[in-house]
Amino acid sequence: MLIINIAGVILIALIIWWFWLYKPQAEQMGDDDLVVVVENGVYKPSHILMDSNDTHDITFLRKDASPCAETLMIPQLEISETLPLNKPTKIHIPPLGAGEYAFHCQMQMYKGTISIK
Amino acid sequence: MSCVVTELIIDGAGCASCVGKIEGALKAVSGVQHAEMNFAQRTVSVSGTAPSDVLVQAIERAGYNAKVSSAETDTDELDEKEQADLAYYKKLMRETWIALALGAPLMAYALITGEMSVNTTTERIVWLIIGILTLGVLLASGRHFFVGAWKSFLNHSANMDTLIALGTGTAWLYSMVVVFFPEAVPAQARHVYFEATAIIIGLIDLGLALEIKARGRTSEAIKRLIGLQAKTARVIRDDKEMDLPIEHVLLDDLVRVRPGEKIPVDGEVVEGHTAIDESMLTGEPMPVEKAKGDEVVAGTLNKTGSIVFRATRVGKDTALAQIINMVKRAQNSKPPIGRLADVISAFFVPVVMITAVISALAWLNFGPTPAIAFAIVSATTVLIIACPCALGLATPMSVMVGVGKAAEAGVLIRNGEALQTASKITAMILDKTGTITLGSPKVTDVVVVSGRTELEVLQLAASVEAGSEHPLALAIMETAQEKAIELSKASSFNAITARGVEAEVDGRRVLFGNEKLMHERDVTLNVAGDDFVQKAQSLAADAKTPMYFAIDGKLAGIIAVADPIKEDSISAIQRLQKNGIRVIMLTGDNRDTAKAVAKKVGISEFVAEVLPEDKAKKVQELQMAGEVVGMTGDGINDAPALALANVGFAIGTGTDVAIESADITLMRGSLHGLADAIAVSKATLRNIKQNLFGAFVYNVAGVPVAAGILYPVLGILMNPVIAGAAMAFSSLTVVSNANRLRLFKAQEH
Ligand SMILES: [Cu+2]
């Protein structure tokens, strides 16, 4: 029983670490404008690194038919766009100050961040 | 590879020299055989084997924007979306049937025999076969949950898929362990949950399918707006008329519209006259007369006559396109009330996973035998019942419907925040001129001394005022025009500041102005016992501006001018007051006029003689007093006050989308739009609260019950199938409740 309890606690710790504490690597925004694919419940890549004071176009390509994937929101930038299925949608990112800008779907099932350094 | 012709629409080609550059860029692409640009239409047709996106890129590298001309209008986009939704719906329904085909008989068997345990070898073999069938269901009907769960797991995020995959996966795995190693679990716990697995997958697919159907209805308003766009326009170029897709209409093109046709782009009438139904945009039911020089707006319906107009705004610049854009954006924006739900749903899934583990541990430690079975059931049920979707959808679905509903009534709401604040307004400031009144003065009375005629006085007055830009002069000119009065030439014209004017017309000395002017020139205002001062005062008390008119030093009459109150201002103001809103009128006019107008429309609080900058001060003053202030004005003079108010309402005249400084734009002049806007926002907020309340209660109550909190007291443990059903229909309930808003009617009297 003790082993089971310890296993349970470890499992909880793993959940906390994996979903909350872990900081994933961000994708550097290249010269060619980045394409974010929306598929199977995730944005890929979901962590984008950009330089401050640069404008960029991020192209979103939605391959996920689920209605969850339909709306892309970047609340801090007051951007909300409806992504048509299988058709690239360009999102213009204006020059931004350093910080983290979250983007997600209407109900935050799909999540990603733009980090500006 | 086959050779195809691709039509591209070019944006940004300003001069004819661009043609060579674009054609050159295209010809440089491998696979292009021929490229020819039509500069007038800004299109280029390319033949060859190169795919269209490569062509678009080539043009973009050359410094222009391009898009493929087919299937690019909003209407087509919408059709495509509908088709994609329908395909997804069908797929989900198919998956539902597959899952239920296995799950339902199994469940019936379980209910009838009360027996799903594994004891004998025969039972093991039968359950093994069923277990494999269930795996088939998981793959056929539930694959998308598992794939989604895995992908988001790798991405360090978790969502609804994670919960469903974990829940059903746990149930299936445990059942398979029981089948393969019955000895590993206590005899009473040798239970399989294949029926629950299959049914849960089936129900959740069904819930998603129904949700898609219901979601389709939430965007009805935007569909209606997009549907207003005409597909083609009859353009006159080089004296030839041709039907062009509206994307090809250029600025300054001449467009012909016949009776019964839609106006394809915005423009200015150059020929003909007609009546146009603008109700689809403004909510104003009466058709509007249009003649040369008047504006026509895309999406409105030409009723009676044939006209030719010059295109002044095309493509994404038309008022309709901007309205669609604004409504779309507002529909996707969130009012602050939804923020808490956002924060919660961001942490929700991992918290539920942890709850499931804790609940399983609690059962294992303290639960009755067979503890392992209880632990598995409770963990599965917790995972399945917790649906973050309901929470996440609660706000956006209602906003979607509410903003759309408002747009149908000719009310454009900028964003979710404006929507929420509008529902809380306690004080409403109304600008008088152009808001309560029409904003253009008219001659209301001509009172003449006996011996003079109205026509004579008007003719002289109009002759004096001809050429003046003063609003009062314009009102007199308009009346003269209506009565087809011929003007004479005025000479030795002299304007006397703050008094009036004098001039000579047809050899007669004419004096036109206020009481002071008359006194200074010794004009008697009491003619044969008839006191004209009194007459003037009674006109002034009726919100009119009276002016004396004298001919050759003798009083001839009074002309009174007033800015007429809009027909329905009184009833609209009553509606606001009935809602408990304090209505305050501001005006730059003098006290007497202000008082008279306020009295007429039933406003007890008014401030007269305010300068534009004082309007903002008044807003601030009310805010300091704790009021949530709405400010209504024409959007140009009142911009600072509009911006400062908690909610700024811009009154649009017709379809002029001068909406930048306003939170809410009323597409038609009527003040009923204000009451409508407030009513819609109240209804929407109520709907959001219902949704949020339902979602919170559902999760707050559902999760502990699923964990087994009622078991020690009542002996109740939730069946995972029930959890599956609850989860499947929780988001459907939210979407359906939001859809109820569609039936909401802002009642207008
Ligand atoms: Cu979802």
Side-chain angles (χ1 to χ4, degrees), chain B residues 179-213:
Chain B
V179 171
F180 276 108
F181 315 103
E183 300 77 23
V185 288
Q188 306 100 305
R190 285 174 200 159
H191 219 280
V192 289
Y193 299 98
F194 295 127
E195 97 285 10
T197 312
I199 287 208
I200 287 167
I201 293 284
L203 285 177
I204 292 172
D205 276 337
L206 179 64
L208 282 175
L210 297 178
E211 189 190 319
I212 286 180
K213 280 274 151 169

mmCIF file of all heavy atoms in Angstrom, chain B residues 179-213:
data_model
loop_
_atom_site.group_PDB
_atom_site.id
_atom_site.type_symbol
_atom_site.label_atom_id
_atom_site.label_comp_id
_atom_site.label_asym_id
_atom_site.label_seq_id
_atom_site.Cartn_x
_atom_site.Cartn_y
_atom_site.Cartn_z
ATOM 1 N N VAL B 179 -9.220 -9.514 -17.650
ATOM 2 C CA VAL B 179 -9.400 -10.641 -18.575
ATOM 3 C C VAL B 179 -8.140 -11.509 -18.616
ATOM 4 O O VAL B 179 -8.208 -12.738 -18.547
ATOM 5 C CB VAL B 179 -9.744 -10.126 -19.985
ATOM 6 C CG1 VAL B 179 -9.708 -11.275 -21.002
ATOM 7 C CG2 VAL B 179 -11.112 -9.475 -19.987
ATOM 8 N N PHE B 180 -7.001 -10.877 -18.679
ATOM 9 C CA PHE B 180 -5.764 -11.654 -18.830
ATOM 10 C C PHE B 180 -5.256 -12.235 -17.503
ATOM 11 O O PHE B 180 -4.810 -13.364 -17.449
ATOM 12 C CB PHE B 180 -4.665 -10.781 -19.464
ATOM 13 C CG PHE B 180 -4.752 -10.741 -20.959
ATOM 14 C CD1 PHE B 180 -5.170 -9.602 -21.613
ATOM 15 C CD2 PHE B 180 -4.416 -11.875 -21.714
ATOM 16 C CE1 PHE B 180 -5.266 -9.574 -22.988
ATOM 17 C CE2 PHE B 180 -4.503 -11.841 -23.096
ATOM 18 C CZ PHE B 180 -4.927 -10.688 -23.732
ATOM 19 N N PHE B 181 -5.309 -11.431 -16.467
ATOM 20 C CA PHE B 181 -4.787 -11.907 -15.178
ATOM 21 C C PHE B 181 -5.834 -11.747 -14.088
ATOM 22 O O PHE B 181 -5.689 -10.900 -13.201
ATOM 23 C CB PHE B 181 -3.540 -11.106 -14.772
ATOM 24 C CG PHE B 181 -2.559 -10.904 -15.885
ATOM 25 C CD1 PHE B 181 -2.479 -9.684 -16.544
ATOM 26 C CD2 PHE B 181 -1.708 -11.948 -16.272
ATOM 27 C CE1 PHE B 181 -1.573 -9.495 -17.572
ATOM 28 C CE2 PHE B 181 -0.798 -11.744 -17.299
ATOM 29 C CZ PHE B 181 -0.726 -10.519 -17.961
ATOM 30 N N PRO B 182 -6.902 -12.544 -14.128
ATOM 31 C CA PRO B 182 -7.948 -12.378 -13.111
ATOM 32 C C PRO B 182 -7.380 -12.518 -11.698
ATOM 33 O O PRO B 182 -7.865 -11.869 -10.770
ATOM 34 C CB PRO B 182 -8.930 -13.505 -13.409
ATOM 35 C CG PRO B 182 -8.539 -14.086 -14.712
ATOM 36 C CD PRO B 182 -7.136 -13.691 -15.001
ATOM 37 N N GLU B 183 -6.332 -13.314 -11.575
ATOM 38 C CA GLU B 183 -5.788 -13.562 -10.241
ATOM 39 C C GLU B 183 -5.157 -12.310 -9.633
ATOM 40 O O GLU B 183 -5.006 -12.216 -8.414
ATOM 41 C CB GLU B 183 -4.729 -14.682 -10.268
ATOM 42 C CG GLU B 183 -5.240 -16.021 -10.774
ATOM 43 C CD GLU B 183 -5.376 -16.046 -12.297
ATOM 44 O OE1 GLU B 183 -4.692 -15.237 -12.966
ATOM 45 O OE2 GLU B 183 -6.172 -16.855 -12.803
ATOM 46 N N ALA B 184 -4.795 -11.385 -10.481
ATOM 47 C CA ALA B 184 -4.111 -10.196 -9.983
ATOM 48 C C ALA B 184 -5.036 -9.283 -9.185
ATOM 49 O O ALA B 184 -4.578 -8.422 -8.447
ATOM 50 C CB ALA B 184 -3.497 -9.412 -11.136
ATOM 51 N N VAL B 185 -6.343 -9.427 -9.379
ATOM 52 C CA VAL B 185 -7.274 -8.573 -8.637
ATOM 53 C C VAL B 185 -8.174 -9.440 -7.766
ATOM 54 O O VAL B 185 -8.436 -10.606 -8.103
ATOM 55 C CB VAL B 185 -8.142 -7.719 -9.590
ATOM 56 C CG1 VAL B 185 -7.321 -6.626 -10.219
ATOM 57 C CG2 VAL B 185 -8.798 -8.582 -10.638
ATOM 58 N N PRO B 186 -8.656 -8.883 -6.663
ATOM 59 C CA PRO B 186 -9.536 -9.658 -5.783
ATOM 60 C C PRO B 186 -10.772 -10.148 -6.528
ATOM 61 O O PRO B 186 -11.211 -9.516 -7.501
ATOM 62 C CB PRO B 186 -9.939 -8.651 -4.707
ATOM 63 C CG PRO B 186 -8.996 -7.522 -4.826
ATOM 64 C CD PRO B 186 -8.435 -7.528 -6.200
ATOM 65 N N ALA B 187 -11.348 -11.256 -6.072
ATOM 66 C CA ALA B 187 -12.461 -11.906 -6.771
ATOM 67 C C ALA B 187 -13.630 -10.943 -7.014
ATOM 68 O O ALA B 187 -14.199 -10.903 -8.110
ATOM 69 C CB ALA B 187 -12.937 -13.119 -5.986
ATOM 70 N N GLN B 188 -13.942 -10.100 -6.022
ATOM 71 C CA GLN B 188 -15.115 -9.221 -6.199
ATOM 72 C C GLN B 188 -14.827 -8.108 -7.198
ATOM 73 O O GLN B 188 -15.727 -7.440 -7.676
ATOM 74 C CB GLN B 188 -15.520 -8.551 -4.875
ATOM 75 C CG GLN B 188 -15.753 -9.484 -3.737
ATOM 76 C CD GLN B 188 -14.526 -9.499 -2.830
ATOM 77 O OE1 GLN B 188 -13.404 -9.751 -3.292
ATOM 78 N NE2 GLN B 188 -14.741 -9.256 -1.540
ATOM 79 N N ALA B 189 -13.549 -7.881 -7.493
ATOM 80 C CA ALA B 189 -13.182 -6.766 -8.374
ATOM 81 C C ALA B 189 -12.970 -7.222 -9.802
ATOM 82 O O ALA B 189 -12.578 -6.428 -10.658
ATOM 83 C CB ALA B 189 -11.932 -6.075 -7.858
ATOM 84 N N ARG B 190 -13.261 -8.490 -10.101
ATOM 85 C CA ARG B 190 -13.015 -8.980 -11.466
ATOM 86 C C ARG B 190 -14.159 -8.552 -12.386
ATOM 87 O O ARG B 190 -14.966 -9.351 -12.829
ATOM 88 C CB ARG B 190 -12.864 -10.509 -11.455
ATOM 89 C CG ARG B 190 -11.519 -10.913 -10.906
ATOM 90 C CD ARG B 190 -11.406 -12.402 -10.756
ATOM 91 N NE ARG B 190 -10.317 -12.705 -9.810
ATOM 92 C CZ ARG B 190 -10.193 -13.853 -9.150
ATOM 93 N NH1 ARG B 190 -11.082 -14.818 -9.337
ATOM 94 N NH2 ARG B 190 -9.196 -14.036 -8.337
ATOM 95 N N HIS B 191 -14.183 -7.307 -12.660
ATOM 96 C CA HIS B 191 -15.268 -6.673 -13.363
ATOM 97 C C HIS B 191 -14.697 -6.044 -14.622
ATOM 98 O O HIS B 191 -13.598 -5.511 -14.601
ATOM 99 C CB HIS B 191 -15.826 -5.569 -12.456
ATOM 100 C CG HIS B 191 -17.291 -5.466 -12.519
ATOM 101 N ND1 HIS B 191 -17.933 -4.831 -13.528
ATOM 102 C CD2 HIS B 191 -18.254 -5.933 -11.682
ATOM 103 C CE1 HIS B 191 -19.234 -4.898 -13.323
ATOM 104 N NE2 HIS B 191 -19.460 -5.575 -12.213
ATOM 105 N N VAL B 192 -15.430 -6.082 -15.731
ATOM 106 C CA VAL B 192 -14.931 -5.382 -16.920
ATOM 107 C C VAL B 192 -15.794 -4.162 -17.214
ATOM 108 O O VAL B 192 -16.974 -4.132 -16.880
ATOM 109 C CB VAL B 192 -14.888 -6.310 -18.161
ATOM 110 C CG1 VAL B 192 -13.796 -7.331 -18.015
ATOM 111 C CG2 VAL B 192 -16.228 -6.942 -18.421
ATOM 112 N N TYR B 193 -15.200 -3.163 -17.853
ATOM 113 C CA TYR B 193 -15.904 -1.898 -18.131
ATOM 114 C C TYR B 193 -15.884 -1.568 -19.622
ATOM 115 O O TYR B 193 -15.816 -0.417 -20.012
ATOM 116 C CB TYR B 193 -15.274 -0.756 -17.328
ATOM 117 C CG TYR B 193 -15.368 -0.988 -15.835
ATOM 118 C CD1 TYR B 193 -14.295 -1.505 -15.124
ATOM 119 C CD2 TYR B 193 -16.555 -0.717 -15.160
ATOM 120 C CE1 TYR B 193 -14.397 -1.748 -13.767
ATOM 121 C CE2 TYR B 193 -16.665 -0.959 -13.804
ATOM 122 C CZ TYR B 193 -15.579 -1.477 -13.106
ATOM 123 O OH TYR B 193 -15.687 -1.721 -11.771
ATOM 124 N N PHE B 194 -15.959 -2.625 -20.447
ATOM 125 C CA PHE B 194 -15.938 -2.386 -21.892
ATOM 126 C C PHE B 194 -17.158 -1.584 -22.341
ATOM 127 O O PHE B 194 -17.080 -0.740 -23.227
ATOM 128 C CB PHE B 194 -15.880 -3.713 -22.652
ATOM 129 C CG PHE B 194 -14.602 -4.468 -22.410
ATOM 130 C CD1 PHE B 194 -14.609 -5.789 -21.994
ATOM 131 C CD2 PHE B 194 -13.367 -3.831 -22.598
ATOM 132 C CE1 PHE B 194 -13.430 -6.475 -21.760
ATOM 133 C CE2 PHE B 194 -12.187 -4.532 -22.368
ATOM 134 C CZ PHE B 194 -12.215 -5.851 -21.946
ATOM 135 N N GLU B 195 -18.301 -1.860 -21.732
ATOM 136 C CA GLU B 195 -19.525 -1.162 -22.147
ATOM 137 C C GLU B 195 -19.389 0.337 -21.871
ATOM 138 O O GLU B 195 -19.744 1.161 -22.710
ATOM 139 C CB GLU B 195 -20.753 -1.808 -21.501
ATOM 140 C CG GLU B 195 -21.309 -1.195 -20.233
ATOM 141 C CD GLU B 195 -20.463 -1.486 -19.000
ATOM 142 O OE1 GLU B 195 -19.343 -2.010 -19.138
ATOM 143 O OE2 GLU B 195 -20.915 -1.172 -17.888
ATOM 144 N N ALA B 196 -18.815 0.638 -20.688
ATOM 145 C CA ALA B 196 -18.644 2.060 -20.359
ATOM 146 C C ALA B 196 -17.715 2.720 -21.371
ATOM 147 O O ALA B 196 -17.998 3.818 -21.878
ATOM 148 C CB ALA B 196 -18.083 2.201 -18.949
ATOM 149 N N THR B 197 -16.611 2.041 -21.688
ATOM 150 C CA THR B 197 -15.643 2.602 -22.632
ATOM 151 C C THR B 197 -16.308 2.951 -23.960
ATOM 152 O O THR B 197 -16.191 4.075 -24.461
ATOM 153 C CB THR B 197 -14.516 1.578 -22.875
ATOM 154 O OG1 THR B 197 -14.072 1.090 -21.618
ATOM 155 C CG2 THR B 197 -13.372 2.206 -23.624
ATOM 156 N N ALA B 198 -17.020 1.971 -24.510
ATOM 157 C CA ALA B 198 -17.624 2.185 -25.836
ATOM 158 C C ALA B 198 -18.685 3.277 -25.780
ATOM 159 O O ALA B 198 -18.760 4.145 -26.652
ATOM 160 C CB ALA B 198 -18.221 0.885 -26.348
ATOM 161 N N ILE B 199 -19.518 3.194 -24.730
ATOM 162 C CA ILE B 199 -20.631 4.163 -24.678
ATOM 163 C C ILE B 199 -20.122 5.589 -24.449
ATOM 164 O O ILE B 199 -20.615 6.543 -25.055
ATOM 165 C CB ILE B 199 -21.648 3.750 -23.586
ATOM 166 C CG1 ILE B 199 -22.403 2.532 -24.107
ATOM 167 C CG2 ILE B 199 -22.579 4.899 -23.244
ATOM 168 C CD1 ILE B 199 -23.771 2.356 -23.584
ATOM 169 N N ILE B 200 -19.116 5.719 -23.604
ATOM 170 C CA ILE B 200 -18.586 7.068 -23.347
ATOM 171 C C ILE B 200 -18.062 7.678 -24.649
ATOM 172 O O ILE B 200 -18.387 8.828 -24.997
ATOM 173 C CB ILE B 200 -17.477 7.031 -22.281
ATOM 174 C CG1 ILE B 200 -18.099 6.780 -20.913
ATOM 175 C CG2 ILE B 200 -16.692 8.347 -22.266
ATOM 176 C CD1 ILE B 200 -17.096 6.415 -19.846
ATOM 177 N N ILE B 201 -17.288 6.899 -25.384
ATOM 178 C CA ILE B 201 -16.770 7.406 -26.656
ATOM 179 C C ILE B 201 -17.927 7.801 -27.573
ATOM 180 O O ILE B 201 -17.945 8.886 -28.177
ATOM 181 C CB ILE B 201 -15.889 6.333 -27.347
ATOM 182 C CG1 ILE B 201 -14.618 6.080 -26.547
ATOM 183 C CG2 ILE B 201 -15.565 6.732 -28.785
ATOM 184 C CD1 ILE B 201 -13.571 7.150 -26.665
ATOM 185 N N GLY B 202 -18.928 6.943 -27.637
ATOM 186 C CA GLY B 202 -20.083 7.206 -28.508
ATOM 187 C C GLY B 202 -20.804 8.476 -28.102
ATOM 188 O O GLY B 202 -21.118 9.332 -28.933
ATOM 189 N N LEU B 203 -21.046 8.619 -26.803
ATOM 190 C CA LEU B 203 -21.803 9.784 -26.326
ATOM 191 C C LEU B 203 -21.038 11.086 -26.562
ATOM 192 O O LEU B 203 -21.612 12.101 -26.959
ATOM 193 C CB LEU B 203 -22.111 9.634 -24.834
ATOM 194 C CG LEU B 203 -23.208 8.640 -24.468
ATOM 195 C CD1 LEU B 203 -23.347 8.551 -22.958
ATOM 196 C CD2 LEU B 203 -24.536 9.050 -25.096
ATOM 197 N N ILE B 204 -19.737 11.034 -26.327
ATOM 198 C CA ILE B 204 -18.973 12.273 -26.480
ATOM 199 C C ILE B 204 -18.901 12.672 -27.958
ATOM 200 O O ILE B 204 -19.033 13.850 -28.299
ATOM 201 C CB ILE B 204 -17.576 12.139 -25.835
ATOM 202 C CG1 ILE B 204 -17.774 12.032 -24.324
ATOM 203 C CG2 ILE B 204 -16.703 13.331 -26.175
ATOM 204 C CD1 ILE B 204 -16.547 11.720 -23.550
ATOM 205 N N ASP B 205 -18.755 11.673 -28.820
ATOM 206 C CA ASP B 205 -18.817 11.979 -30.254
ATOM 207 C C ASP B 205 -20.161 12.582 -30.621
ATOM 208 O O ASP B 205 -20.245 13.546 -31.382
ATOM 209 C CB ASP B 205 -18.571 10.710 -31.081
ATOM 210 C CG ASP B 205 -17.086 10.430 -31.257
ATOM 211 O OD1 ASP B 205 -16.301 11.378 -31.145
ATOM 212 O OD2 ASP B 205 -16.720 9.265 -31.483
ATOM 213 N N LEU B 206 -21.211 12.013 -30.050
ATOM 214 C CA LEU B 206 -22.553 12.524 -30.335
ATOM 215 C C LEU B 206 -22.681 13.969 -29.845
ATOM 216 O O LEU B 206 -23.186 14.841 -30.571
ATOM 217 C CB LEU B 206 -23.600 11.634 -29.639
ATOM 218 C CG LEU B 206 -25.053 12.062 -29.825
ATOM 219 C CD1 LEU B 206 -25.468 11.966 -31.285
ATOM 220 C CD2 LEU B 206 -25.980 11.211 -28.960
ATOM 221 N N GLY B 207 -22.199 14.208 -28.636
ATOM 222 C CA GLY B 207 -22.248 15.566 -28.087
ATOM 223 C C GLY B 207 -21.520 16.563 -28.981
ATOM 224 O O GLY B 207 -22.031 17.638 -29.278
ATOM 225 N N LEU B 208 -20.337 16.171 -29.459
ATOM 226 C CA LEU B 208 -19.558 17.051 -30.332
ATOM 227 C C LEU B 208 -20.303 17.320 -31.634
ATOM 228 O O LEU B 208 -20.327 18.448 -32.134
ATOM 229 C CB LEU B 208 -18.201 16.417 -30.647
ATOM 230 C CG LEU B 208 -17.125 16.491 -29.572
ATOM 231 C CD1 LEU B 208 -15.891 15.718 -30.008
ATOM 232 C CD2 LEU B 208 -16.766 17.944 -29.306
ATOM 233 N N ALA B 209 -20.909 16.255 -32.169
ATOM 234 C CA ALA B 209 -21.632 16.403 -33.438
ATOM 235 C C ALA B 209 -22.781 17.396 -33.278
ATOM 236 O O ALA B 209 -22.958 18.311 -34.092
ATOM 237 C CB ALA B 209 -22.145 15.055 -33.908
ATOM 238 N N LEU B 210 -23.549 17.216 -32.203
ATOM 239 C CA LEU B 210 -24.692 18.113 -31.988
ATOM 240 C C LEU B 210 -24.213 19.539 -31.722
ATOM 241 O O LEU B 210 -24.852 20.502 -32.131
ATOM 242 C CB LEU B 210 -25.544 17.607 -30.826
ATOM 243 C CG LEU B 210 -26.188 16.236 -31.062
ATOM 244 C CD1 LEU B 210 -26.969 15.800 -29.838
ATOM 245 C CD2 LEU B 210 -27.090 16.257 -32.293
ATOM 246 N N GLU B 211 -23.072 19.642 -31.064
ATOM 247 C CA GLU B 211 -22.515 20.964 -30.776
ATOM 248 C C GLU B 211 -22.180 21.700 -32.081
ATOM 249 O O GLU B 211 -22.418 22.897 -32.210
ATOM 250 C CB GLU B 211 -21.261 20.792 -29.920
ATOM 251 C CG GLU B 211 -20.705 22.088 -29.380
ATOM 252 C CD GLU B 211 -19.338 21.878 -28.756
ATOM 253 O OE1 GLU B 211 -19.145 20.858 -28.050
ATOM 254 O OE2 GLU B 211 -18.458 22.714 -28.992
ATOM 255 N N ILE B 212 -21.645 20.965 -33.034
ATOM 256 C CA ILE B 212 -21.306 21.595 -34.317
ATOM 257 C C ILE B 212 -22.560 22.145 -34.980
ATOM 258 O O ILE B 212 -22.586 23.265 -35.499
ATOM 259 C CB ILE B 212 -20.613 20.585 -35.236
ATOM 260 C CG1 ILE B 212 -19.192 20.378 -34.736
ATOM 261 C CG2 ILE B 212 -20.615 21.055 -36.678
ATOM 262 C CD1 ILE B 212 -18.397 19.424 -35.539
ATOM 263 N N LYS B 213 -23.627 21.344 -34.939
ATOM 264 C CA LYS B 213 -24.900 21.811 -35.518
ATOM 265 C C LYS B 213 -25.354 23.086 -34.827
ATOM 266 O O LYS B 213 -25.751 24.049 -35.471
ATOM 267 C CB LYS B 213 -25.969 20.723 -35.339
ATOM 268 C CG LYS B 213 -25.879 19.614 -36.359
ATOM 269 C CD LYS B 213 -26.650 19.983 -37.608
ATOM 270 C CE LYS B 213 -26.011 19.292 -38.780
ATOM 271 N NZ LYS B 213 -26.722 19.319 -40.006
#
